């Protein structure tokens, strides 16, 4: 069975295929089909996107939406993660946290899958805290250089990509999706 992944980012396809590789008759293929990113939660964005793309191509499809949520900022940047990264960036987030004691944060991914039976959502979260400084060994992207996952001393950007991929929000969401695929195969 071929599942189309509506994204402009080929790395997401690679990651999905690695996680799903032991499901022999499933392949994930990229499809460039932009969908409106509505204002709302990750769940609402993914559900809307999955339905929208399915209506266009009428084949099993997934979309994925992720964000970075800082507890003491009431979940900011959350669904604005991309925009906030491109504007105030990690320095801006560290500044907003200067007088805060609570530095807990999490990444979350929601995968929206749609086929002729409708939409299903699969979620993954990784908890941790925001570092005091930007710390990177050149791995990762965006908020990776200010996020230390629980049980680690290193930021995601100080961990090799394969190490991050083992515990990431995206990996957890795809593992949930994989369980579902095992049952429908
Ligand atoms: P997307 O929905 O996966 O494209 O993620 C939206 C935004 O969240 C990205 O543009 C990044 O700023 C941020 N983000 C998502 N996942 C990660 C991650 O694994 N590391 C760092 N930043 C991330």
């Amino acid at each position: 069975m071929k599942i189309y992944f509506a994204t402009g980012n080929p790395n997401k396809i690679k990651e999905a295929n690695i996680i799903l590789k032991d499901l022999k008759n499933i392949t994930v293929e990229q499809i460039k089909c932009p969908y409106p990113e509505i204002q709302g939660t990750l769940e609402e964005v993914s559900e809307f996107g999955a339905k929208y793309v399915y209506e266009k191509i009428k084949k099993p499809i997934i979309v994925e939406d992720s964000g970075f949520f800082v507890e003491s900022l009431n979940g900011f940047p959350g669904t604005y993660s991309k925009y906030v990264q491109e504007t105030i960036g990690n320095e801006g987030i560290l500044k907003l946290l200067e007088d805060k004691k609570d530095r807990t944060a999490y990444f979350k991914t929601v995968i929206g899958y749609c086929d002729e039976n409708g939409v299903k959502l699969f979620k993954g979260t990784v908890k941790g805290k925001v570092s005091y400084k930007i710390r990177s060994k050149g791995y990762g992207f965006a908020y990776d250089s200010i996020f230390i996952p629980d049980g680690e001393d290193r930021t995601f950007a100080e961990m090799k990509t394969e190490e991050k991929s083992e515990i990431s929000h995206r990996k957890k969401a795809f593992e949930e999706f994989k369980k579902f695929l095992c049952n429908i195969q």
Side-chain angles (χ1 to χ4, degrees):
M1 171 175 153
K2 207 177 263 184
I3 298 172
Y4 292 88
F5 192 164
T7 176
N9 183 348
N11 291 319
K12 290 188 180 179
I13 311 292
K14 250 189 239 159
E15 201 173 345
N17 274 313
I18 289 171
I19 296 165
L20 302 176
K21 70 175 180 301
D22 35 308
L23 303 183
K24 294 290 175 232
N25 44 4
I26 303 270
T27 49
V28 177
E29 224 171 77
Q30 183 174 20
I31 181 164
K32 287 188 183 158
C33 180
Y35 53 92
E37 288 226 1
I38 57 162
Q39 273 315 315
T41 61
L42 298 181
E43 284 83 356
E44 287 163 346
V45 173
S46 293
E47 178 162 357
F48 183 88
K51 278 186 189 155
Y52 182 95
V53 179
Y54 180 75
E55 284 309 315
K56 294 239 165 210
I57 69 164
K58 296 283 182 195
K59 290 185 179 127
I61 74 103
I62 50 175
V63 302
E64 181 252 276
D65 201 32
S66 301
F68 181 58
F69 298 77
V70 181
E71 302 279 12
S72 64
L73 303 177
N74 297 319
F76 183 83
T79 49
Y80 304 105
S81 293
K82 186 165 189 253
Y83 177 73
V84 171
Q85 183 59 222
E86 286 164 359
T87 50
I88 65 169
N90 290 335
E91 268 142 31
I93 297 287
L94 293 184
K95 215 162 185 53
L96 289 172
L97 284 176
E98 258 170 13
D99 60 340
K100 308 273 190 209
K101 279 210 178 81
D102 178 9
R103 302 184 72 86
T104 53
Y106 63 94
F107 279 111
K108 182 173 175 183
T109 290
V110 178
I111 294 169
Y113 169 77
C114 193
D115 62 15
E116 70 275 14
N117 300 313
V119 185
K120 285 205 174 299
L121 301 181
F122 304 92
K123 302 174 199 181
T125 299
V126 58
K127 291 187 178 160
K129 54 186 183 305
V130 179
S131 57
Y132 286 90
K133 287 183 185 158
I134 292 173
R135 285 170 32 193
S136 172
K137 285 205 167 142
Y139 303 112
F141 65 103
Y143 300 96
D144 283 348
S145 56
I146 57 166
F147 179 76
I148 304 168
D150 283 347
E152 262 293 334
D153 298 325
R154 299 170 296 172
T155 64
F156 263 168
E158 292 173 317
M159 297 167 70
K160 293 209 172 100
T161 307
E162 307 83 69
E163 285 181 275
K164 175 193 165 188
S165 296
E166 275 306 302
I167 57 169
S168 77
H169 44 306
R170 215 166 271 111
K171 158 92 171 185
K172 289 178 181 170
F174 269 103
E175 289 293 348
E176 288 304 305
F177 182 45
K178 187 175 176 179
K179 282 185 208 157
F180 163 80
L181 290 175
C182 284
N183 288 330
I184 63 165
Q185 268 196 104

